Amino acid sequence: MKKTDLRSLDALFRPQSVAVIGASRKRFQIGHEIVRNLVFGGFTGPVYPVNPMAKVVHSMLCFPKVTAIPGPVDLAIITVPAPLVLPAAKDCARKGVKGLVVITAGFGEIGGEGTVLQNELVALCKKHGIRMIGPNCMGILNTAVEFAMNSSFAAATPTRGGAAFLSQSGALGEAILTDARSLGIGVSMFASVGNRADVSPCDLLDYWDEDPNTQQILMYLEAFGEPERFMDAARRISPRKPILVVKSGRSAQGARAAVSHTGSLAGSEAAVDSLLNQCGVLRVDTMKDLFALASAVQTGKRPKGKKVAIVTNAGGPAILATDACIANGLEIPELSAATRKKMEKGMPPEASSVNPVDLIASADAARFDLALGATLADSNIDMVLAIFVSPIMIDAAAVAEVFAKHAASTDKPLLACLLGKSHSERASDILREKGVPNYRFPEEAAFSLANMYKLQKLRTRDNKPAPHYRVRKGKARAALDRAIADGRPMLNGLELNDLFTAYGIPLVPSRIVNTREQALRAARSLGFPMVAKVEAEDIVHKSDRGGVIVGIRNREELLDAYDRLEEIFGKECPNMSLLLQAMRSDGVETFFGAATDPQFGRMVAFGLGGVHVEVFKDVVFRLHPLTETDAREMVEGIRAKAMLEGTRGKPPVSQDELVDTLLRLSRMLTDFPEIAELDINPFLAGYQGKDSCALDVRVQLDVK
């Protein structure tokens, strides 16, 4: 987005004057509440109620229409019924208004006439250079002192702070502002974007990137309208400002029918996860998780590693915290001898200086002070979780002050967990006032620590570009053109061989035969043992239908296999051929693939291969094109990564070779956009990088 476009959003978020069209004298009407929020929120410019049926609203003179207002109007909030919105917007255009927030529903979200009306509204705004939020939203706000503009009908007034919120749901917007205040999360700006008819999440990402008051960006999204633009913006912004997203719609209604394993495994949710990972954005599942993490992220602390020290006055919560940390991929390391010795000077004999550090129930502020200072100074510790169960004889407020003192004096994340109600209300207030994240349960704190570490890794991705490969593009082009000329979406064996070898992806030695005699001649060059596969365009998952015979050891078994496959498939496929391959088994079966997501475009997949690929679904996706960083994360991201590193006495495979194969596939997809789906399954990753090759490949073209 150009800088001039960014400045156009100032009419929405930094207006000098605001008109409320549909202002009402009745309490709890939207038009009444928006005027009230503007006035009582301390908006620094004039507020103009607009209602032809009223003379006064909130003790202010009311105007029949915007053009009747004597002074300039930067922003207009429209709350009138849907049929009256377009006339009101036209009146705003005549007045020279440059920002509209359309609260009213009944537009694109209902389809039909609503969509027509929304299109007319958008056309009007574009014609007159007006930026619009909505329709069908709950409004916007900016807490900056020089504006103090709350143009929403939210009941909660947020605390000023560094989090910019975007919500595609108006109802959730109310909950967002309420929960943010109760959890001590300060808000810089808020936007309920509704139907996103004009201003989009991408617009707001760029706008908030340049806002000095915004330190983190939180989003509730229901759909991506511009995935490529979102990725570009988020990739630029996330290293400077953390971006956290709740994206609804994880539950799929079922995978679409596809000819490839990749197509049946891929889906929009995999694409969403891939997009967000690739641009350094952390996705969480629930609004509760979003707020829990945002509370920790707003401290600005960045963990250097995943090693956690737990300091507690109660053993049970420490056990829960330890289990939760381990389950979330964190480590609870040993403390150094010097750290333990320092703590033990002020600890009773029954206390424990072993991580987790148990100061026992009698621990007061002084004991916590000593333990927190020692653990934070330990070079082997990256983060600290301080747990305090409030006994009646201990001054909880004094303990909270100690937590706050150490949180302020370190660059390591320190999270608190206050349990019990005795004297703890004031302690919680102290932590909130001092900006120390405080959690009700240890598991929530452990979740936040783990995701702080994950977010830090995402934000510091190096996005190393893919190397340049020398390929034989002409040879590959000719192979695809033969299939396209025949109107065939599926490439045959010879075409597959030409395509993959042109891009430096090794295939197992193979021959295509059409007679028993050809099969015997092929055996002399391939050798035994070998594999026979039926080769026919309409037979996709060959092994599921008995179309693959492995372990052929001699001439007699080869002829028997030929006859068996001809008997099974001969009538169905009169032009059937056999694909004979040298048998390879010394390595790990892996899987490469590509598929096209209807919303996000092409995706690349890597995982554990063989016949169980769709059973275990140990597959990692990334959106095309891949960087070298993307490819390496894919190889390192499968659950069965230990199999690549060598297990049960087996040597490792070359992970660099797998990364290289992914990048060559990505280059192939870039060169040939007509490739809709692709599978290499299995790709035998040879031990120590020896004799790796694709054992079965499949490519489908978009030949429309």
Side-chain angles (χ1 to χ4, degrees):
M1 179 186 278
K2 297 178 181 178
K3 298 273 185 183
T4 52
D5 292 330
L6 286 178
R7 285 197 294 272
S8 72
L9 297 186
D10 285 346
L12 294 164
F13 292 96
R14 294 178 169 92
Q16 301 299 313
S17 55
V18 179
V20 181
I21 304 172
S24 174
R25 291 170 294 184
K26 296 180 180 178
R27 188 71 197 274
F28 304 120
Q29 295 291 312
I30 289 177
H32 179 94
E33 296 306 310
I34 291 176
V35 174
R36 185 175 187 277
N37 280 345
L38 283 164
V39 173
F40 287 96
F43 179 62
T44 55
V47 177
Y48 300 111
V50 177
N51 185 339
M53 307 302 294
K55 292 185 177 181
V56 175
V57 171
H58 272 295
S59 300
M60 293 183 292
L61 180 65
C62 197
F63 298 90
K65 55 185 179 179
V66 172
T67 48
I69 296 171
V73 177
D74 293 329
L75 172 64
I77 316 298
I78 300 180
T79 70
V80 296
L84 303 179
V85 168
L86 192 58
K90 290 178 179 178
D91 191 51
C92 289
R94 287 190 288 270
K95 179 66 176 175
V97 174
K98 292 302 179 185
L100 290 183
V101 176
V102 181
I103 305 293
T104 309
F107 289 84
E109 78 279 5
I110 66 170
E113 289 299 319
T115 300
V116 173
L117 187 58
Q118 181 169 302
N119 291 339
E120 291 177 357
L121 184 59
V122 171
L124 175 74
C125 289
K126 287 185 177 179
K127 179 180 178 181
H128 295 280
I130 299 171
R131 300 309 307 268
M132 177 178 65
I133 294 277
N136 185 31
C137 70
M138 68 166 291
I140 62 176
L141 59 86
N142 182 354
T143 65
V145 175
E146 61 268 35
F147 299 102
M149 187 270 299
N150 185 350
S151 296
S152 75
F153 57 88
T157 302
T159 304
R160 185 177 298 112
F165 279 89
L166 177 148
S167 176
Q168 282 186 229
S169 165
L172 270 180
E174 173 71 33
I176 286 171
L177 295 176
T178 300
D179 289 352
R181 183 175 182 85
S182 65
L183 292 171
I185 300 174
V187 175
S188 58
M189 296 188 198
F190 169 83
S192 164
V193 294
N195 294 357
R196 303 174 301 156
D198 175 31
V199 175
S200 69
C202 296
D203 293 328
L204 293 172
L205 272 178
D206 281 317
Y207 190 65
W208 289 337
D209 180 37
E210 298 207 351
D211 175 38
N213 297 322
T214 295
Q215 303 305 318
Q216 64 171 315
I217 298 171
L218 313 178
M219 296 181 146
Y220 168 77
L221 299 176
E222 294 173 351
F224 282 95
E226 305 166 287
E228 290 184 7
R229 188 178 162 210
F230 184 96
M231 179 180 285
D232 176 68
R235 220 172 218 160
R236 285 185 285 103
I237 296 166
S238 60
R240 297 189 299 275
K241 298 185 179 184
I243 304 172
L244 311 180
V245 167
V246 174
K247 167 64 175 65
S248 61
R250 274 198 183 275
S251 56
Q253 294 301 308
R256 64 184 179 88
V259 300
S260 68
H261 291 291
T262 317
S264 61
L265 290 168
S268 289
E269 284 312 294
V272 169
D273 288 337
S274 300
L275 181 151
L276 295 177
N277 271 283
Q278 284 172 266
C279 56
V281 175
L282 183 61
R283 181 184 189 181
V284 293
D285 291 333
T286 67
M287 295 302 296
K288 179 182 177 182
D289 291 344
L290 181 75
F291 284 119
L293 183 54
S295 179
V297 171
Q298 75 174 354
T299 65
K301 307 293 176 63
R302 294 190 175 199
K304 294 182 174 66
K306 56 182 178 179
K307 297 177 179 179
V308 180
I310 299 170
V311 179
T312 181
N313 67 340
I319 294 172
L320 292 174
T322 300
D323 288 346
C325 284
I326 299 301
N328 281 283
L330 300 176
E331 297 176 5
I332 309 295
E334 291 185 5
L335 300 172
S336 71
T339 298
R340 295 183 61 185
K341 185 176 180 180
K342 189 185 302 182
M343 287 190 296
E344 287 168 357
K345 291 179 181 178
M347 292 170 59
E350 56 269 29
S352 172
S353 63
V354 176
N355 193 15
V357 178
D358 188 354
L359 303 177
I360 70 172
S362 61
D364 58 7
R367 198 180 300 169
F368 270 103
D369 189 22
L370 176 64
L372 290 175
T375 52
L376 284 166
D378 193 316
S379 61
N380 198 35
I381 295 300
D382 303 308
M383 300 177 276
V384 172
L385 172 55
I387 302 174
F388 177 66
V389 179
S390 177
I392 194 168
M393 70 284 192
I394 301 298
D395 185 348
V399 172
E401 292 284 4
V402 167
F403 287 4
K405 180 187 79 170
H406 285 286
S409 63
T410 180
D411 61 354
K412 298 178 180 181
L414 187 154
L415 306 188
C417 177
L418 298 188
L419 295 162
K421 291 189 175 181
S422 177
H423 307 299
S424 64
E425 291 85 354
R426 178 56 190 149
S428 297
D429 291 341
I430 290 170
L431 294 179
R432 184 164 47 250
E433 292 163 6
K434 299 292 179 68
V436 181
N438 178 29
Y439 297 88
R440 187 177 179 189
F441 298 109
E443 297 91 336
E444 294 176 347
F447 168 86
S448 294
L449 288 172
N451 280 280
M452 287 182 80
Y453 174 66
K454 183 178 180 181
L455 179 63
Q456 176 64 5
K457 289 182 66 179
L458 287 172
R459 294 177 65 196
T460 54
R461 295 173 86 247
D462 59 7
N463 277 315
K464 185 178 180 181
H468 178 74
Y469 291 106
R470 295 178 64 88
V471 300
R472 300 174 64 186
K473 188 176 178 181
K475 177 182 178 182
R477 176 77 272 168
L480 269 61
D481 285 346
R482 290 197 297 272
I484 293 171
D486 292 344
R488 287 184 285 107
M490 302 297 295
L491 268 60
N492 64 30
L494 180 60
E495 292 157 354
L496 290 168
N497 181 79
D498 288 350
L499 174 64
F500 283 93
T501 55
Y503 279 78
I505 299 172
L507 301 180
V508 66
S510 305
R511 296 288 187 277
I512 293 177
V513 300
N514 295 292
T515 66
R516 298 167 95 245
E517 290 73 21
Q518 290 177 0
L520 292 173
R521 285 198 297 271
R524 287 196 288 271
S525 60
L526 294 175
F528 295 104
M530 67 168 54
V531 179
K533 301 178 181 179
V534 65
E535 181 75 7
E537 182 180 347
D538 296 331
I539 302 173
V540 180
H541 299 303
K542 305 180 182 82
S543 59
D544 294 344
R545 299 187 55 189
V548 178
I549 299 175
V550 300
I552 300 172
R553 296 170 296 178
N554 51 48
R555 289 165 51 91
E556 290 72 23
E557 290 185 3
L558 174 59
L559 294 175
D560 180 65
Y562 189 101
D563 294 340
R564 221 186 322 161
L565 292 173
E566 187 175 49
E567 181 181 352
I568 297 172
F569 297 101
K571 292 182 180 179
E572 179 183 346
C573 306
N575 297 320
M576 179 194 79
S577 300
L578 287 191
L579 177 65
L580 301 182
Q581 296 178 329
M583 190 166 174
R584 298 283 189 270
S585 59
D586 200 19
V588 177
E589 289 188 341
T590 61
F591 163 79
F592 296 89
T596 303
D597 180 86
Q599 184 179 2
F600 295 96
R602 286 187 293 180
M603 302 169 62
V604 183
F606 172 77
L608 194 64
V611 296
H612 300 304
V613 61
E614 291 195 39
V615 177
F616 296 123
K617 294 182 172 61
D618 189 6
V619 178
V620 179
F621 289 90
R622 289 291 183 271
L623 294 183
H624 170 264
L626 301 181
T627 65
E628 184 173 330
T629 302
D630 294 330
R632 195 159 297 282
E633 287 179 349
M634 293 173 74
V635 172
E636 295 176 352
I638 62 171
R639 297 189 302 275
K641 183 173 179 285
M643 294 184 65
L644 307 180
E645 298 169 339
T647 57
R648 301 180 67 87
K650 297 289 187 180
V653 305
S654 172
Q655 295 184 40
D656 288 341
E657 181 181 54
L658 299 174
V659 170
D660 183 75
T661 303
L662 279 167
L663 294 174
R664 289 178 180 276
L665 282 176
S666 182
R667 168 71 186 276
M668 182 193 296
L669 295 173
T670 297
D671 289 346
F672 301 112
E674 59 266 48
I675 296 178
E677 294 188 10
L678 175 155
D679 270 1
I680 305 177
N681 184 41
F683 180 93
L684 189 69
Y687 292 125
Q688 298 177 330
K690 296 179 180 178
D691 298 325
S692 298
C693 58
L695 303 185
D696 195 12
V697 293
R698 184 178 303 121
V699 172
Q700 182 187 25
L701 304 179
D702 184 354
V703 295
K704 295 178 183 177

